[in-house]
Amino acid sequence: MRMRERIAEGKLFLDNCQNLPKERLLAKSRMVEFNQSPPEAVEIRKALIKEILGTESTVLIEPPFYFCYGRNITFGAQVYVNMSCHFIDDGKISIGDQAMIGPNVTLVTVGHPVAPQLRKFMYTEPITIEENCWIGANVTVLPGVTIGANSVIGAGSVVTKSIPPNVIALGNPCVCVRSITEEDNRYYRKGMRITKEELKEIEVANQKG
């Protein structure tokens, strides 16, 4: 069984053979070019993202952005990734439509055996972040985790187990604290009510530029 097959099946592997180092080197060359691009080089970064991911994407990623391969990451439509995120993508990372990823978020798909003599070996489990999730600043998501649609992960959380849809979860380890309710459509924070008129005013101003 080749290493890529072992990785895909979650089996133990080593990554210094079978063209894997060459793939990482190419990916990191593109990563450096992306991260060193000037703020106004929007079109250059779009082209680099296509090369990094190996496909067209509408994702907006703020540099710097760190990854291992790039080709193991998939983004849905209109995803936003803030600065200084680390995606350890030896395994698959899937991020759904309109998800928002805060600054300094780390997504880790790789684990190691606990026994010291075996620790050089690795295995992967995929990470899935479903549509409309908001992942707060400095969150760490560990291998095998799925975060359900619409959920919010509070800043600084360490997500060790999957989170259901439509909840707010936080902490280390991350746990659900409440569901997202109709009340959240009326207030954006304590005592601050949302009105249709205010939202329309903001949208109109934004369209005018």
Side-chain angles (χ1 to χ4, degrees):
M1 180 180 287
R2 293 184 64 77
M3 288 296 178
R4 285 183 186 81
E5 294 170 335
R6 299 191 66 86
I7 292 169
E9 294 185 19
K11 296 180 181 295
L12 291 176
F13 72 96
L14 292 170
D15 64 357
N16 286 318
C17 61
Q18 298 178 10
N19 212 43
L20 294 173
K22 185 177 178 180
E23 289 183 17
R24 289 195 303 276
L25 183 61
L26 177 59
K28 289 177 181 180
S29 295
R30 290 168 173 158
M31 180 178 71
V32 169
E33 190 175 354
F34 179 85
N35 290 339
Q36 293 182 350
S37 61
E40 66 274 11
V42 176
E43 295 305 317
I44 290 173
R45 283 198 295 277
K46 284 182 180 178
L48 284 168
I49 287 171
K50 181 180 178 180
E51 291 183 19
I52 289 164
L53 302 178
T55 185
E56 294 279 359
S57 179
T58 58
V59 65
L60 175 57
I61 302 174
E62 304 282 5
F65 177 52
Y66 304 98
F67 52 88
C68 299
Y69 292 90
R71 298 293 177 99
N72 295 325
I73 308 168
T74 59
F75 294 102
Q78 307 302 320
V79 174
Y80 177 72
V81 179
N82 213 322
M83 66 185 73
S84 296
C85 286
H86 296 69
F87 288 11
I88 311 305
D89 68 317
D90 296 73
K92 298 293 185 183
I93 296 174
S94 301
I95 300 179
D97 296 349
Q98 299 183 54
M100 298 192 303
I101 311 296
N104 205 37
V105 166
T106 300
L107 307 181
V108 183
T109 65
V110 179
H112 300 267
V114 172
Q117 68 272 20
L118 298 174
R119 221 170 276 166
K120 70 176 183 179
F121 296 99
M122 296 171 278
Y123 62 88
T124 70
E125 293 184 85
I127 289 174
T128 301
I129 298 174
E130 296 182 347
E131 64 270 17
N132 299 313
C133 286
W134 173 20
I135 312 300
N138 295 294
V139 167
T140 299
V141 181
L142 297 186
V145 164
T146 293
I147 299 175
N150 306 314
S151 287
V152 177
I153 306 299
S157 297
V158 179
V159 190
T160 62
K161 295 181 180 179
S162 293
I163 301 295
N166 301 300
V167 299
I168 296 173
L170 53 85
N172 181 7
C174 187
V175 295
C176 299
V177 294
R178 71 173 179 88
S179 297
I180 295 173
T181 68
E182 184 59 33
E183 191 76 355
D184 294 301
N185 287 322
R186 293 193 286 268
Y187 292 88
Y188 62 91
R189 60 187 176 91
K190 188 174 181 179
M192 303 300 288
R193 192 172 181 86
I194 300 165
T195 66
K196 291 181 179 178
E197 292 77 17
E198 183 180 18
L199 294 179
K200 184 177 180 180
E201 178 184 344
I202 295 168
E203 291 282 5
V204 168
N206 187 58
Q207 289 167 6
K208 288 181 178 178

